[in-house]
Amino acid sequence: MPFVNIKITRDGVTPEKKADVIRGVTQVMVDVLGKNPATTMVLIEEVETDNWGIGGETVTVRRKRGA
């Protein structure tokens, strides 16, 4: 039973876009690894930009300065 965990920043991704990601990732697991889509689980976790850091600073700060 495959389990795919996707983490993204919480910044307005619509439920429709998340559903598209879930469908697409499930299909990749079927096409590439031959997994059963009925038992493939995909979890999308949304993280606040203040809780995600790159290069020693938060995503919030990086986005404010346009990096």
Side-chain angles (χ1 to χ4, degrees), residues 18-40:
K18 288 186 259 187
D20 288 345
V21 169
I22 290 168
R23 273 190 297 278
V25 169
T26 299
Q27 193 59 52
V28 166
M29 297 298 286
V30 171
D31 295 345
V32 175
L33 299 178
K35 297 301 182 181
N36 180 349
T39 60
T40 299

Side-chain angles (χ1 to χ4, degrees), residues 24-63:
V25 169
T26 299
Q27 193 59 52
V28 166
M29 297 298 286
V30 171
D31 295 345
V32 175
L33 299 178
K35 297 301 182 181
N36 180 349
T39 60
T40 299
M41 294 188 289
V42 179
L43 171 66
I44 298 175
E45 292 185 85
E46 293 181 287
V47 179
E48 296 292 342
T49 57
D50 285 340
N51 297 333
W52 195 306
I54 303 169
E57 61 188 0
T58 67
V59 170
T60 304
V61 169
R62 289 175 66 92
R63 287 182 179 171

